[in-house]
Amino acid sequence: MTARRPRSFYFLATLLGLFIVFLYAPMACVYILSFQGPNGGMSFPMTGWSTHWYEVLFGGTGGQGMGDIAASFRRSIRLALIVAVISAIIAVSAGMAYRRKFPGSNFVFYSAITSMVLPGIFVGFGIALTFNLLGWRVNWFTSGIGAQLTWTLPFGLLIMFIVLGRFNPSYEEAATDLGANARQRFTDVIVPIILPGIIGIMMASLTSSYEETARTQLNVGTGNTMPMEVTGLLTASATPVLFAIGTVTTLFSFTLVGLTIFALSRLAKRRTMRTAA
Amino acid sequence: MNLALKQDPAEISPKAPKLQQATMGHRFDAELVAVTKRYGPGAPAVDDISLRIPRGSYCCLLGPSGCGKSTTLRMLAGHEDVTEGAILIHGTEITNKPPVERGTSMMFQDYALFPHLSALDNVAFSLKVRGVAKEERRNQAREYLELVQMDHLAERLPNQLSGGQQQRVALARSLITRPKVLLLDEPLSALDPFLRIRMRAELKRIQKELGISFIHVTHSQDEALALADLIVVMNDAVIMQAAPAREVFETPANAFVARFLGGHNVIRSEGREVSVRADQCRLGRMPGMRALEGVIGMIEYQGTQVRITITKDDEDYTVLMDAPTYFAQSPEIGEPGVMSWEASDEHVLG
């Protein structure tokens, strides 16, 4: 077989290669530089290898312009988990509601989706101003969660619409036929079938909440979230500890993704495993 | 499987009128009384149809797509509201009752097996939602899987089963609710032709074994003729003819039924519209027989028979002749052809 690939193949393959280099090479730099020697700077060349900057990072607030990374990490995770759960609940409820047309459904849909395209900084600013106007204090638990939801929810909604759009309505009719009531239909049929979608929404919300700053920064009140802390560090200090933070957070994200994939494949496996029984 | 065993009164939910059924002796398993379904302004999907299905019948609703047969079935199942009219099952009106209180069970066209549950748990689902304990419901489900010969694959997930196997599981899942009437929505359409013929024999066997009525929606004439005690031919939202298979085939009520069932020629003869079975028509002019002249448009060899199409005035007429007669005559496409038939074989259409 002498099937020659067309020239466009090589062009596109090169483009993809460049894109991958562009995407991952800078990250690789960050990982490498995080092992910079104690006297090294923020750029190449490396002056020896050490885990010095990790020691600084985990050693707490040791004088290098370091904020309280651990506390802001905890704040971010707590926020992200709550936002993920709320997003999933709202997205599933909305998805269920939208399977039927109701008056004003288009308006509600578009107004929810619009917040995807609104500039985040102004959404955040607007929320903060409104709180101020009403004499409320911005607080991570109120304005913070609210601001983040304006960002995570539209994505969650879209995912859910797609998942439920592909949901075969005869599953539900079959369940009704077999005597299931509305609650049983939901818990025993719909939720198990759309579960991968729900997990997807939670993951998407978790990660986008974790890295969001534009909407969050004016609305979390006292105490920084992780991205705010890092941004702060970028201006305040210029040591490779930043790279150590970058490496640790990347590891964290990958662990999260890995765990999700593991959980989903376990779910799939447990279902097929029963064949053997 | 001993089906009598399943009648254990302890297992019957208090609402199920088993005793009443025994004493009242209903005549019809299902009745439609002037049932109409409208989805909006315009022509109704089902227009004022009435139908009675005797006890223990295999009834086929037959018609082209969009004729209202599936809507009729879904109204029987309670998945579609009835706009006007009434539906009775075993002599009891159930027009507005929820599906589970009707004594019907529906088998869906795509089977609608729950993808996250094993075959066994799919079958046990209706018992689970009624709160039957796990062991008990699994034991019962296993018996129904035995009935459809699927007990050896009880732990498989639906996507690990073939189409025919999925259908058997779907059947077991419907039957475990002990329906008075089983509703089947084009149950064989997703299967390959070979399997289709095997499964339809199986459906008939199970229907006879259980003694309940099956109402089976199909657009296949062969399927209806092979299965049905009662064929209901529908078109344009109304019933064209409802009669036993033989009666429908031998004495179609009108030109639509004759044409839709196939194997008939609809001819204008002596100023009336008549149907003549294609296998009773001959090729060539015969003394004392009525005749129609045209051109041979198509010849299809079908093994035992040969199907010859004669075209006249843009109308096609069919002669089914046995293979030896065909080879003796050896007509050719494009030649003039004459179709003859006995006047006594004409059936006058309404």
Side-chain angles (χ1 to χ4, degrees):
Chain A
M1 233 181 74
T2 56
R4 271 185 54 81
R5 291 193 156 120
R7 215 171 280 171
S8 58
F9 170 82
Y10 295 99
F11 175 70
L12 292 172
T14 313
L15 209 63
L16 178 68
L18 283 175
F19 173 67
I20 287 173
V21 168
F22 186 77
L23 188 66
Y24 289 104
M27 283 167 69
C29 289
V30 166
Y31 308 146
I32 294 167
L33 282 171
S34 71
F35 293 100
Q36 181 74 286
N39 301 317
M42 293 283 285
S43 58
F44 289 107
M46 300 284 288
T47 59
W49 296 81
S50 76
T51 53
H52 174 75
W53 303 108
Y54 289 93
E55 282 157 29
V56 173
L57 172 61
F58 290 110
T61 58
Q64 313 250 0
M66 287 273 300
D68 195 351
I69 288 282
S72 52
F73 174 76
R74 276 198 301 275
R75 248 176 244 126
S76 270
I77 282 298
R78 182 180 55 188
L79 193 58
L81 284 173
I82 295 173
V83 166
V85 171
I86 296 178
S87 298
I89 292 173
I90 298 180
V92 171
S93 320
M96 293 295 290
Y98 267 86
R99 295 190 309 163
R100 218 170 279 156
K101 269 261 169 264
F102 55 88
S105 63
N106 274 336
F107 175 75
V108 177
F109 175 72
Y110 287 122
S111 55
I113 298 304
T114 308
S115 70
M116 280 168 91
V117 294
L118 291 177
I121 189 94
F122 291 115
V123 174
F125 200 47
I127 295 172
L129 272 180
T130 312
F131 265 64
N132 196 16
L133 200 68
L134 296 173
W136 299 340
R137 276 170 60 97
V138 288
N139 178 311
W140 73 272
F141 192 74
T142 53
S143 54
I145 289 177
Q148 294 215 322
L149 282 176
T150 64
W151 180 232
T152 60
L153 207 50
F155 293 101
L157 284 179
L158 286 180
I159 297 175
M160 210 60 229
F161 287 164
I162 294 167
V163 168
L164 283 172
R166 294 197 319 208
F167 188 85
N168 180 351
S170 57
Y171 289 141
E172 255 183 293
E173 281 183 351
T176 313
D177 216 65
L178 295 167
N181 59 32
R183 187 184 55 75
Q184 289 167 326
R185 261 199 315 271
F186 184 69
T187 57
D188 293 1
V189 177
I190 297 175
V191 168
I193 294 177
I194 65 171
L195 190 59
I198 298 177
I199 294 178
I201 291 175
M202 290 182 69
M203 286 311 297
S205 305
L206 193 77
T207 47
S208 46
S209 155
Y210 180 70
E211 63 192 29
E212 217 283 329
T213 36
R215 295 163 179 77
T216 316
Q217 56 191 355
L218 290 171
N219 288 299
V220 281
T222 53
N224 281 349
T225 61
M226 194 68 181
M228 289 162 67
E229 192 73 23
V230 173
T231 319
L233 279 177
L234 264 174
T235 47
S237 101
T239 61
V241 75
L242 280 174
F243 300 141
I245 296 172
T247 309
V248 170
T249 43
T250 311
L251 267 178
F252 173 75
S253 303
F254 276 125
T255 313
L256 220 57
V257 172
L259 282 178
T260 316
I261 294 173
F262 178 71
L264 283 175
S265 68
R266 269 297 291 274
L267 204 71
K269 202 154 190 183
R270 243 208 7 239
R271 288 174 181 177
T272 43
M273 273 288 280
R274 286 183 298 200
T275 327
Chain B
M1 188 172 86
N2 182 1
L3 290 164
L5 208 125
K6 307 230 78 48
Q7 307 295 326
D8 181 357
E11 284 178 11
I12 295 165
S13 64
K15 264 184 227 156
K18 283 281 179 208
L19 281 172
Q20 192 190 14
Q21 178 191 329
T23 48
M24 273 175 63
H26 61 280
R27 285 174 60 203
F28 300 101
D29 273 350
E31 288 169 77
L32 298 173
V33 185
V35 170
T36 296
K37 173 70 191 180
R38 260 187 221 100
Y39 285 107
V46 171
D47 190 4
D48 192 23
I49 65 169
S50 294
L51 177 68
R52 289 170 154 181
I53 297 168
R55 291 175 82 141
S57 311
Y58 204 114
C59 169
C60 281
L61 300 183
L62 176 66
S65 45
C67 71
K69 58 190 191 304
S70 281
T71 308
T72 306
L73 194 78
R74 292 172 55 78
M75 285 193 288
L76 274 158
H79 294 309
E80 208 76 72
D81 293 333
V82 176
T83 313
E84 280 163 42
I87 298 176
L88 288 79
I89 300 284
H90 281 200
T92 311
E93 206 213 306
I94 49 96
T95 317
N96 295 312
K97 285 200 175 157
V100 66
E101 289 172 26
R102 295 177 161 238
T104 60
S105 183
M106 177 140 164
M107 209 174 100
F108 291 82
Q109 187 171 3
D110 51 8
Y111 316 135
L113 291 176
F114 305 129
H116 60 293
L117 296 179
S118 67
L120 189 69
D121 286 334
N122 259 288
V123 177
F125 185 87
S126 62
L127 302 176
K128 184 185 176 202
V129 297
R130 265 172 38 201
V132 178
K134 191 162 188 164
E135 267 315 297
E136 157 106 39
R137 67 179 189 246
R138 290 200 151 183
N139 287 339
Q140 283 194 47
R142 221 172 277 281
E143 284 179 53
Y144 276 87
L145 282 175
E146 270 169 43
L147 173 73
V148 296
Q149 293 150 19
M150 279 294 296
D151 43 317
H152 61 298
L153 298 175
E155 302 300 329
R156 290 261 177 105
L157 287 176
N159 64 14
Q160 299 169 315
L161 297 172
S162 71
Q165 291 167 340
Q166 289 187 24
Q167 176 167 56
R168 287 166 189 268
V169 176
L171 186 60
R173 186 177 70 171
S174 285
L175 291 175
I176 202 169
T177 63
R178 290 191 204 92
K180 296 168 184 149
V181 177
L182 182 69
L183 309 168
L184 307 106
D185 189 4
E186 309 221 7
L188 305 173
S189 59
L191 304 177
D192 64 65
F194 179 74
L195 205 56
R196 202 175 297 161
I197 290 172
R198 245 185 51 201
M199 276 313 295
R200 83 183 180 203
E202 191 91 336
L203 286 177
K204 185 85 175 176
R205 171 183 75 81
I206 290 170
Q207 188 259 331
K208 287 279 165 275
E209 206 170 316
L210 298 176
I212 62 174
S213 280
F214 278 26
I215 303 178
H216 173 140
V217 161
T218 178
H219 54 254
S220 157
Q221 305 81 349
D222 295 346
E223 209 168 288
L225 289 172
L227 281 171
D229 301 313
L230 175 68
I231 293 188
V232 179
V233 185
M234 291 184 69
N235 187 39
D236 278 344
V238 294
I239 292 175
M240 292 273 135
Q241 188 171 14
R246 189 177 164 197
E247 192 179 322
V248 171
F249 191 74
E250 291 189 348
T251 57
N254 52 43
F256 175 83
V257 176
R259 287 206 176 95
F260 190 76
L261 282 176
H264 289 267
N265 290 305
V266 177
I267 311 170
R268 285 212 76 82
S269 169
E270 315 255 287
R272 303 167 308 178
E273 195 167 45
V274 302
S275 71
V276 183
R277 278 166 51 177
D279 59 327
Q280 289 170 339
C281 292
R282 314 264 188 84
L283 188 66
R285 200 174 289 280
M286 305 280 169
M289 287 169 74
R290 295 191 169 151
L292 173 150
E293 278 176 45
V295 176
I296 297 179
M298 177 91 84
I299 298 177
E300 282 175 349
Y301 177 67
Q302 295 177 335
T304 53
Q305 283 182 320
V306 182
R307 180 188 183 89
I308 298 183
T309 309
I310 292 174
T311 309
K312 186 199 175 196
D313 302 337
D314 286 334
E315 287 278 339
D316 284 345
Y317 301 92
T318 307
V319 179
L320 277 177
M321 54 201 300
D322 56 34
T325 321
Y326 164 76
F327 288 113
Q329 281 183 270
S330 69
E332 297 278 345
I333 292 177
E335 285 177 2
V338 179
M339 181 176 88
S340 317
W341 65 93
E342 298 277 3
S344 59
D345 287 334
E346 285 181 0
H347 165 73
V348 180
L349 298 171

